Amino acid sequence: MARPKHRVNGDLCADCGAVEPGWASINRAILLCDDCCGIHRSLGRHISHIKSLHKSIWNIHLLNMVHTLNESGANSIWEHSLLDPNHSKISRRKPQAKDPIHPIKAEFIKAKHQHLAFILRPSKEECCSEEELSRQLHSSVRTSNLETSLRLLAQGANPNYFYKEKGTTPLHVAARAGQILQIELLIVNGGNPSILDSNGQTPTEIAKMAGHLDLSERIKECIYEVTDRLTYYVCSRKPDHRSDEHLIIPECGSMAESNDSIIEGHNRLQTLSNHLLEELAIDVYDEVDRREMERTPERCTVPFLPVNPQLSTTRNQGRQKLARFIPKEFARLIIDLLTEAGRRHMLSNNIQLQDPVVSMLRKEQFGKHGSQMSDDEPLYDSVASDDDYTLTSVDNTTTELSTQLKIANEDVFVPMAKGLPSVVEVLKKQLTLSESTVRDLQSQIHILQNTVEQLTQENVGLKQIIEHNKASTDGILNGHIGNEQEPELEPVLDIKTSISRSNQRPASMLVNYFYEKTLKYIICFIFISFLFIIQTNRDTEALSRTNTQSLWDYGIPTLPPSEEVTRRTEQVTRRIQELWMAMQDPHQREAFVPCAERIRVAVAELTAIFPQNPIEENIKSALRQLNGNTGRLQAECSGLQRCTGDVEHIGHCLQQVRSCAYDIAKATKLLVTQFQIS
């Protein structure tokens, strides 16, 4: 690790041209001044990852990657259309150092880095798909040409692309070729350093087999970057991965006192699945990055983590609530996270669940190539189970593995039972109630079986009596007595008798009727009983999920206060009015995209205060319409800004933008109306 030297003469801010930039965006590979750095930080780390050139501690290879790309003109990748003479029709002016931050610099930076409005787009004739771009990246990383790799990543290439025919990813190719700067570029843009190739080998192993030992150690450090950063934040130490020391659990010190809230918070971490624990660790990692950047001037202050629209509303709320933790509480949370990570890592190594070199926690970048699991599910509400681990079956060690797994599971759930007595007691009561219900149903079934047996016996007796009476009656009616032979003629019945029998149901038919009804009743009763048992189990599972929530959200999600809803809907309305005023002059089409972006931010702030899945269907529908129409508005405004057709075509585009704005206003009104009604 090293601290960067002072700037080289000629360094300028990539966004406004200010001299002596003191910051760097490592995934954009550009240098920034204080003013532009504040705007980048407000966009979020998923857009631009900021580090100080003078205060942050850098890995020497990461610093070389940023300086190499910056000196090679990486900024021209993000400002291609502004520099290309063929795009002279674009009226966007790059801000100067003396320009105000808001709105001139802020709008330009958002268009440049958030919307990627100025990068080189493939022409219609080229029509490069994501797979074609990823294959070009797969070939580019074997060379030292960083500019080509950065351009492909900016256009949408996947740093984790798996080339099926070759069985490798770009990280494996760069590791085999010893291109350490390419490795740094891929990882800061979302590459997974622990990804496997077709032979089950990681980039670390590929680099070691190729003789690039320093590169192998660097990739191993990237695997543990999240836990290393959390450890350094608490105790200013980092593990020595060269000696296979991958985790350091800081001592609690003055925070060692035990109380119910600390025990409960620690045991809730144990109920999280591996994936949810990773997401929580990355959220805490982002909060650590935000807090360390707060040592900068006030104009760069970001009070809480920015909203990432690609994450669920619940998770965004949880990320922002991390800012409420006082330093002592935040350090306690980090220590609990590291303790739980170490426990799971040790458990996985003891029972041979995975290679000890591969960490349970890895660095993930949000965005297009981030987590493959859906964000629609609530954050931190699933319970860890044995299914989270995969055992390798070995015939001669099956018994031993089963014994070890049983002991490990008992060790895992003992503290959970101590820390969550209410959950366990409720589950026990539900189980007892279900067992009691099953016993009652079994007794009822036994009673019904006895009733059926009695009815069957009575039915048999009645059938015998009726057959006997029928035989004697038939003999008298046919005029035969005793053993006289019956003529082969149909029996002729008396008219009165015939009428009487036609109006009367035989006793045997009556018994059969009740018998069938009883069987149907039994079948229906058993079916309802099984439905009740299934529903009871579902209620138990739902209760279990409800009681395993995040560290800060414990309880049923409720609707936000009406004052907050009204304030944020008014903000959306004002943004729509700004767009409506801008549309009065069609020649100022460059203002449509910033207006649409402000509408998107206002809508995101409005929807962020609602639960992810509201109970009221009307509110859920209004939120869905808001999100859908906002995305459509941004697309229509971007298309209108690029529109160079005749007046009729421009008029059609303006009509589409008006329609989108009207739909957003209508959905906002519907949301407020339904919220007030509910």
Side-chain angles (χ1 to χ4, degrees):
M1 308 299 290
R3 292 187 181 273
K5 299 179 181 179
H6 293 290
R7 70 177 185 89
V8 181
N9 292 333
D11 283 346
L12 300 175
C13 174
D15 290 337
C16 71
V19 297
E20 298 185 1
W23 303 87
S25 174
I26 61 176
N27 58 322
R28 303 298 190 202
I30 57 176
L31 304 184
L32 303 168
C33 65
D34 289 346
D35 291 346
C36 296
C37 166
I39 305 300
H40 277 255
R41 290 190 59 212
S42 67
L43 298 179
R45 193 171 67 88
H46 58 286
I47 301 295
S48 182
H49 190 181
I50 301 298
K51 286 180 73 73
S52 172
L53 291 174
H54 307 298
K55 297 180 180 180
S56 300
I57 297 179
W58 289 72
N59 180 275
I60 187 63
H61 303 296
L62 180 61
L63 183 62
N64 289 340
M65 184 271 292
V66 173
H67 276 308
T68 300
L69 279 170
N70 181 67
E71 294 170 1
S72 301
N75 193 41
S76 62
I77 296 175
W78 312 108
E79 296 181 354
H80 174 81
S81 58
L82 296 179
L83 304 175
D84 190 353
N86 296 329
H87 293 78
S88 58
K89 295 182 180 180
I90 296 180
S91 59
R92 170 74 73 176
R93 181 183 69 87
K94 184 173 180 177
Q96 303 297 319
K98 60 182 179 180
D99 290 334
I101 299 177
H102 297 283
I104 296 178
K105 289 184 179 181
E107 291 181 356
F108 176 80
I109 291 172
K110 289 179 180 179
K112 176 181 176 181
H113 296 286
Q114 187 172 17
H115 303 298
L116 303 178
F118 312 128
I119 67 171
L120 174 63
R121 302 288 184 181
S123 62
K124 295 182 179 180
E125 292 77 14
E126 296 174 350
C127 190
C128 291
S129 64
E130 180 182 331
E131 185 172 1
E132 292 174 349
L133 292 172
S134 300
R135 292 197 174 197
Q136 294 178 30
L137 178 65
H138 190 278
S139 301
S140 173
V141 294
R142 71 179 74 250
T143 69
S144 59
N145 192 348
L146 294 176
E147 302 94 299
T148 301
S149 299
L150 181 60
R151 177 178 58 80
L152 293 170
L153 289 168
Q155 292 177 341
N158 185 356
N160 295 316
Y161 174 72
F162 183 76
Y163 205 136
K164 294 182 181 179
E165 291 78 5
K166 298 183 179 180
T168 56
T169 69
L171 280 166
H172 293 93
V173 174
R176 181 176 286 106
Q179 297 292 339
I180 190 167
L181 299 187
Q182 293 278 15
I183 291 287
E184 296 287 349
L185 179 62
L186 291 171
I187 291 177
V188 299
N189 282 279
N192 179 8
S194 59
I195 196 170
L196 302 178
D197 61 5
S198 58
N199 297 322
Q201 295 177 326
T202 63
T204 303
E205 297 168 337
I206 294 294
K208 184 180 295 185
M209 289 188 296
H212 309 298
L213 300 182
D214 291 339
L215 176 57
S216 174
E217 294 298 330
R218 173 56 185 156
I219 299 175
K220 187 186 297 184
E221 291 178 2
C222 292
I223 293 175
Y224 294 94
E225 179 176 348
V226 173
T227 52
D228 287 357
R229 181 75 176 274
L230 299 183
T231 303
Y232 190 82
Y233 179 80
V234 175
C235 64
S236 300
R237 294 173 54 202
K238 285 191 175 181
D240 184 8
H241 299 289
R242 293 180 181 270
S243 59
D244 291 333
E245 182 189 25
H246 302 308
L247 285 173
I248 294 178
I249 310 300
E251 296 180 358
C252 298
S254 60
M255 295 178 293
E257 65 275 5
S258 297
N259 55 54
D260 295 339
S261 61
I262 292 179
I263 295 176
E264 183 178 359
H266 177 70
N267 289 321
R268 284 186 189 177
L269 285 179
Q270 296 185 352
T271 65
L272 301 181
S273 65
N274 285 345
H275 170 73
L276 294 180
L277 189 67
E278 287 180 7
E279 289 188 345
L280 176 58
I282 293 171
D283 294 344
V284 174
Y285 175 93
D286 288 348
E287 177 64 15
V288 166
D289 184 77
R290 186 196 68 81
R291 294 192 181 206
E292 289 185 341
M293 292 296 103
E294 289 307 306
R295 302 168 186 170
T296 61
E298 293 183 358
R299 54 186 169 182
C300 295
T301 298
V302 177
F304 49 79
L305 291 176
V307 174
N308 185 349
Q310 297 178 354
L311 300 180
S312 65
T313 303
T314 306
R315 185 170 177 185
N316 275 316
Q317 291 175 349
R319 286 165 56 85
Q320 293 180 348
K321 288 179 181 178
L322 286 172
R324 299 180 181 178
F325 283 53
I326 63 175
K328 181 178 179 180
E329 294 174 344
F330 191 61
R332 177 74 255 179
L333 172 60
I334 293 176
I335 293 174
D336 287 344
L337 267 175
L338 294 173
T339 303
E340 179 62 17
R343 186 190 66 81
R344 297 194 186 193
H345 196 188
M346 184 179 301
L347 176 65
S348 64
N349 290 336
N350 287 341
I351 60 178
Q352 302 177 0
L353 298 179
Q354 61 181 20
D355 192 330
V357 174
V358 181
S359 173
M360 185 273 301
L361 291 174
R362 68 177 188 275
K363 178 184 178 183
E364 285 187 25
Q365 292 285 343
F366 301 118
K368 188 173 183 180
H369 309 296
S371 174
Q372 298 302 316
M373 293 189 65
S374 172
D375 267 329
D376 294 334
E377 58 180 329
L379 185 62
Y380 316 139
D381 67 350
S382 103
V383 180
S385 65
D386 297 339
D387 296 334
D388 291 334
Y389 306 98
T390 305
L391 288 172
T392 55
S393 58
V394 182
D395 295 337
N396 57 352
T397 60
T398 302
T399 305
E400 181 181 357
L401 287 176
S402 301
T403 304
Q404 293 179 355
L405 182 60
K406 181 178 180 181
I407 296 173
N409 285 340
E410 291 175 353
D411 294 338
V412 169
F413 287 103
V414 164
M416 185 185 72
K418 293 179 180 178
L420 296 175
S422 59
V423 176
V424 175
E425 290 175 2
V426 171
L427 291 177
K428 286 182 177 180
K429 291 180 180 179
Q430 289 290 337
L431 181 59
T432 304
L433 181 61
S434 300
E435 292 176 350
S436 175
T437 304
V438 170
R439 286 194 296 268
D440 293 340
L441 293 175
Q442 289 176 347
S443 63
Q444 293 292 334
I445 292 174
H446 181 69
I447 294 173
L448 289 173
Q449 288 176 346
N450 294 335
T451 305
V452 170
E453 291 178 359
Q454 294 177 2
L455 291 174
T456 304
Q457 295 176 359
E458 293 178 1
N459 189 31
V460 172
L462 289 172
K463 280 184 178 181
Q464 293 176 355
I465 295 173
I466 291 172
E467 288 177 357
H468 178 71
N469 293 336
K470 182 179 179 182
S472 60
T473 304
D474 290 343
I476 297 173
L477 289 174
N478 288 327
H480 296 276
I481 301 174
N483 294 327
E484 289 187 7
Q485 299 212 350
E486 180 101 359
E488 296 183 2
L489 297 174
E490 290 290 333
V492 180
L493 300 178
D494 184 79
I495 296 177
K496 294 182 180 180
T497 307
S498 178
I499 294 174
S500 174
R501 289 194 178 183
S502 64
N503 295 331
Q504 233 181 7
R505 180 181 296 207
S508 60
M509 294 178 63
L510 186 62
V511 174
N512 287 332
Y513 171 78
F514 282 112
Y515 181 78
E516 293 173 359
K517 288 294 183 180
T518 304
L519 286 179
K520 290 181 180 179
Y521 175 77
I522 293 173
I523 293 172
C524 292
F525 188 83
I526 294 174
F527 180 73
I528 294 172
S529 302
F530 282 125
L531 286 180
F532 180 82
I533 296 172
I534 292 173
Q535 184 63 34
T536 303
N537 293 335
R538 288 180 178 176
D539 293 341
T540 304
E541 294 175 0
L543 178 64
S544 177
R545 288 193 298 269
T546 304
N547 282 278
T548 53
Q549 301 173 6
S550 66
L551 296 174
W552 45 78
D553 289 331
Y554 189 75
I556 300 175
T558 57
L559 292 176
S562 58
E563 297 81 3
E564 186 68 16
V565 176
T566 303
R567 186 181 68 81
R568 301 202 181 195
T569 51
E570 290 177 353
Q571 185 177 0
V572 175
T573 305
R574 286 196 298 270
R575 299 308 183 196
I576 295 175
Q577 291 174 350
E578 292 176 3
L579 175 61
W580 201 266
M581 295 298 296
M583 291 174 62
Q584 305 305 316
D585 187 3
H587 299 290
Q588 296 183 355
R589 286 177 292 166
E590 67 275 3
F592 292 174
V593 171
C595 288
E597 170 59 20
R598 287 194 288 269
I599 292 175
R600 185 198 66 77
V601 172
V603 170
E605 292 177 352
L606 173 60
T607 57
I609 63 176
F610 283 88
Q612 183 181 2
N613 291 313
I615 299 176
E616 292 80 1
E617 186 62 32
N618 293 330
I619 294 179
K620 185 186 299 182
S621 175
L623 293 174
R624 191 184 305 113
Q625 293 178 20
L626 271 176
N627 292 326
N629 291 324
T630 303
R632 191 161 61 95
L633 177 64
Q634 287 187 294
E636 294 293 345
C637 288
S638 299
L640 180 60
Q641 184 172 344
R642 297 191 300 268
C643 181
T644 57
D646 54 5
V647 177
E648 183 178 356
H649 182 61
I650 294 176
H652 175 71
C653 293
L654 282 171
Q655 182 60 32
Q656 293 295 326
V657 174
R658 291 191 187 98
S659 176
C660 294
Y662 175 77
D663 291 340
I664 293 176
K666 183 178 178 181
T668 305
K669 180 179 179 181
L670 177 63
L671 178 63
V672 176
T673 304
Q674 296 299 331
F675 179 79
Q676 292 174 351
I677 293 174
S678 62

